[in-house]
Amino acid sequence: MVLGSYSDKDFDALYPLKMRKLSGTHWTPVGIAMKAISFFENSGCNSVLDLGSGVGKFCLIAADSSSIRISGIEQRENLVQLARKIAVNHQLSNLEFIHGDLISLDLSDFDGFYFFNSFEENINSKDSLDRQSTLSSIQHENYINALREKFDALPIKTRIVTYCGEASEIPESYRLVQQSHKGRLRFWEKQI
Ligand SMILES: C[S@@+](CC[C@H](N)C(=O)[O-])C[C@H]1O[C@@H](n2cnc3c(N)ncnc32)[C@H](O)[C@@H]1O
């Protein structure tokens, strides 16, 4: 059975209990991942990056449902290892997980990006992922500004999907082309 047809409950059962419990707050619902990947496919994207890929839920569903090259970058090594293990178990060859800080990555290899409010942990301690989380509004602002600059430097037609958050990391050079889920899921395209 393809991962995109799993219920969230069945998909989350791939993870240890501790990670399963975090799903409602931190991991993308299956239906949202399917909508995002269909936007990237219809836009002709070749290579999509999940910025802050967590346990890999978006990436795993996307890679199993499409032939697009899918990558995820995640700062927590234990989450990267978990995501890689599930990718191997499902023989997903169009998928890679990178361990690192997303702000240090060169984004020019990608023409589509998925961003599920990854910097929220810097300003909101609710359901924190682990004890590594420390609150800092300055850090939050620095991250948002740095990502906005990186997005702004990318070529015309670059696509971004944002899920939740204020989308303040999206520069004015992008146009909102579509939205759903009461504006929580937004689809962007670089215009200039
Ligand atoms: C809300 S979760 C989303 C996970 C995944 N994208 C999904 O949709 O299922 C955000 C993730 O971003 C990661 N993250 C936050 N800041 C990061 C950074 N600067 N570099 C890499 N990962 C980061 C967190 O560790 C967390 O796993």
Side-chain angles (χ1 to χ4, degrees), residues 7-189:
S7 66
D8 280 298
K9 191 168 174 240
D10 288 344
F11 192 95
D12 294 341
L14 297 172
Y15 298 112
L17 184 61
K18 189 174 166 221
M19 295 301 156
R20 234 179 284 167
K21 283 185 175 166
L22 294 167
S23 186
T25 314
H26 293 284
W27 320 135
T28 295
V30 177
I32 297 290
M34 291 304 286
K35 277 199 159 53
I37 196 64
S38 130
F39 172 74
F40 290 127
E41 273 185 327
N42 294 337
S43 308
C45 290
N46 295 307
S47 185
V48 168
L49 175 70
D50 182 2
L51 294 150
S53 48
V55 289
K57 188 168 175 186
F58 167 79
C59 291
L60 291 157
I61 294 163
D64 197 38
S65 313
S66 123
S67 54
I68 295 177
R69 192 159 59 89
I70 306 290
S71 306
I73 180 158
E74 168 56 49
Q75 64 185 352
R76 291 180 163 87
E77 193 170 11
N78 62 321
L79 304 189
V80 173
Q81 281 170 1
L82 194 48
R84 282 183 184 149
K85 196 171 142 196
I86 297 172
V88 169
N89 288 347
H90 287 81
Q91 300 175 329
L92 297 171
S93 55
N94 57 332
L95 174 59
E96 64 163 350
F97 290 103
I98 305 159
H99 175 224
D101 187 337
L102 66 89
I103 286 304
S104 310
L105 190 71
D106 176 5
L107 301 188
S108 62
D109 283 344
F110 308 94
D111 53 9
F113 299 89
Y114 179 73
F115 186 74
F116 175 9
N117 211 14
S118 295
F119 303 140
E120 175 81 4
E121 67 171 296
N122 298 118
I123 50 166
N124 185 353
S125 61
K126 188 175 169 275
D127 296 335
S128 63
L129 282 166
D130 53 32
R131 287 194 213 115
Q132 276 181 44
S133 312
T134 46
L135 294 181
S136 164
S137 54
I138 293 174
Q139 172 77 310
H140 180 259
E141 203 179 318
N142 288 344
Y143 268 134
I144 293 280
N145 290 340
L147 185 57
R148 194 192 300 118
E149 272 180 31
K150 285 171 96 77
F151 281 156
D152 207 21
L154 292 170
I156 289 173
K157 300 279 183 204
T158 297
R159 294 339 198 263
I160 304 173
V161 175
T162 55
Y163 181 50
C164 302
E166 303 297 317
S168 42
E169 66 284 346
I170 304 296
E172 285 179 3
S173 50
Y174 287 72
R175 184 170 71 92
L176 180 66
V177 290
Q178 210 179 307
Q179 61 182 319
S180 67
H181 295 73
K182 299 184 177 157
R184 277 180 298 138
L185 185 62
R186 298 187 220 185
F187 305 85
W188 307 85
E189 181 184 327

